[in-house]
């Protein structure tokens, strides 16, 4: 029974999240207009809570060796996997806001480009909640172009906090997100690696990750030479795919 959880002792090779997410991706995810992956029925609009918790626990197991002290994500859909990672590791979860809050006097601020907005998106984190002593895990629902994760890393650098890893539910193999973030030299984990061929969604097995990684390395230098942002993560249930 996949809902059985190990509540005591160290976690060992949890794969229930990967299994559940793969099943839902293959059964329910759809490709719109050949370049948009829709997962809103189980990830970022209506949520499969059992699947989300299992994915959070699996990411926690993979990243706990980095000895994090805090989890950082971005509102709104990044909160879903991030809270379950934080719960599994007994850590606080901080989320970057997209609007400045009146109640927060001092905050770190950065911005990033998104394909779903005509102007750069700002992100804010209170100076109270990121500190030089923090060892931070960055968690989000998607790794696509890598711009959102990059912005979160920059916020941590402003606070002199140490980013020790990143975790994502779904990584898009055709985009350069992993390569774009490679300069930070932090371990990155994703529960599902997906690609689209002829309008069909494929989930790449974990032992086949080297091929997409090599492809991403080749396009990384090219991606960094362009001012236009690569396809990026969004939180409206629609994520652009390069086919």
């Amino acid at each position: 029974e996949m809902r059985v959880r190990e509540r005591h002792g160290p976690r060992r090779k949890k794969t229930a999240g990967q299994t559940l997410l793969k099943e839902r991706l293959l059964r329910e995810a759809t490709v719109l207009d050949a370049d948009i992956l829709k997962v809103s029925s189980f990830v970022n609009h209506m949520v499969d809570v059992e699947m989300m918790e299992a994915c959070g626990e699996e990411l926690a197991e993979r990243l706990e060796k980095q000895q994090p002290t805090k989890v950082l994500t971005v509102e709104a859909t990044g909160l879903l996997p991030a809270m379950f990672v934080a719960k599994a590791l007994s850590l606080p979860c901080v989320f970057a806001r997209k609007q400045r809050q009146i109640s927060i006097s001092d905050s770190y601020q950065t911005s990033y480009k998104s394909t779903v907005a005509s102007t750069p998106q700002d992100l804010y984190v209170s100076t109270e909640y990121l500190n030089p002593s923090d060892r931070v895990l960055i968690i989000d629902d998607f790794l696509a172009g890598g711009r959102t994760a990059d912005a979160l890393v920059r916020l941590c650098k402003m606070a002199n906090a140490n980013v020790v890893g990143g975790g994502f539910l779904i990584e898009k193999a055709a985009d350069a997100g992993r390569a774009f973030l490679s300069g930070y030299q932090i371990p990155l984990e994703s529960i599902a690696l997906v690609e689209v061929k002829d309008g069909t969604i494929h989930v790449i097995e974990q032992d086949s990750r080297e091929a997409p990684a090599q492809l991403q390395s080749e396009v990384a230098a090219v991606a960094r030479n362009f001012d236009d942002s690569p396809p990026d993560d969004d939180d409206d249930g629609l994520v652009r795919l390069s086919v």
Side-chain angles (χ1 to χ4, degrees):
E1 176 71 16
M2 285 186 290
R3 67 171 56 228
V4 174
R5 308 280 190 250
E6 297 177 21
R7 295 301 186 188
H8 303 285
R11 284 171 288 276
R12 289 293 182 268
K13 297 182 179 179
K14 286 185 179 294
T15 58
Q18 185 180 82
T19 300
L20 291 170
L21 181 57
K22 179 179 179 179
E23 289 175 353
R24 297 298 291 268
L25 281 166
L26 295 177
R27 186 171 71 243
E28 298 179 38
T30 57
V31 180
L32 307 178
D33 299 327
D35 67 345
I36 298 176
L37 177 66
K38 183 179 180 182
V39 294
S40 58
S41 65
F42 56 97
V43 170
N44 48 20
H45 195 40
M46 182 168 67
V47 180
D48 182 333
V49 177
E50 178 187 1
M51 179 203 74
M52 192 67 71
E53 183 170 16
C55 288
E57 290 184 347
E58 189 168 336
L59 285 174
E61 180 189 45
R62 296 186 192 183
L63 292 165
E64 66 179 342
K65 61 186 175 183
Q66 305 303 323
Q67 299 182 323
T69 61
K70 192 167 288 181
V71 171
L72 177 65
T73 188
V74 60
E75 63 172 349
T77 55
L79 270 170
L80 300 171
M83 290 181 69
F84 284 118
V85 172
K87 177 185 176 184
L89 295 174
S90 299
L91 298 177
C93 178
V94 178
F95 65 94
R97 292 182 176 272
K98 295 181 179 180
Q99 292 183 336
R100 187 187 298 275
Q101 301 297 299
I102 297 177
S103 60
I104 298 176
S105 57
D106 296 315
S107 61
Y108 301 112
Q109 175 184 354
T110 191
S111 62
Y112 67 99
K113 293 181 180 179
S114 172
T115 57
V116 298
S118 58
T119 58
Q121 174 67 62
D122 292 328
L123 291 179
Y124 304 88
V125 173
S126 170
T127 56
E128 292 183 74
Y129 305 131
L130 281 179
N131 305 290
S133 60
D134 287 330
R135 296 175 57 83
V136 181
L137 287 181
I138 289 174
I139 303 294
D140 207 354
D141 55 351
F142 276 88
L143 175 59
R147 299 288 181 170
T148 304
D150 174 67
L152 293 174
V153 172
R154 285 186 276 119
L155 286 171
C156 291
K157 287 184 173 294
M158 292 176 191
N160 292 317
N162 185 20
V163 178
V164 297
F168 309 89
L169 294 183
I170 301 169
E171 179 180 350
K172 295 160 56 182
D175 294 336
R178 182 175 289 265
F180 184 77
L181 298 172
S182 62
Y184 292 121
Q185 297 183 331
I186 57 176
L188 302 176
E189 296 286 347
S190 57
I191 299 297
L193 182 67
V194 302
E195 63 180 350
V196 171
K197 292 181 179 179
D198 300 322
T200 301
I201 298 168
H202 299 270
V203 179
I204 302 172
E205 296 301 325
Q206 294 289 344
D207 58 2
S208 302
R209 296 177 70 91
E210 288 79 5
Q214 291 173 2
L215 176 62
Q216 290 172 6
S217 296
E218 293 174 1
V219 302
V222 177
R224 291 177 185 275
N225 288 332
F226 286 92
D227 291 333
D228 293 335
S229 300
D232 206 343
D233 320 328
D234 59 57
D235 60 2
D236 61 0
L238 301 178
V239 178
R240 299 194 175 280
L241 283 167
S242 298
V243 181

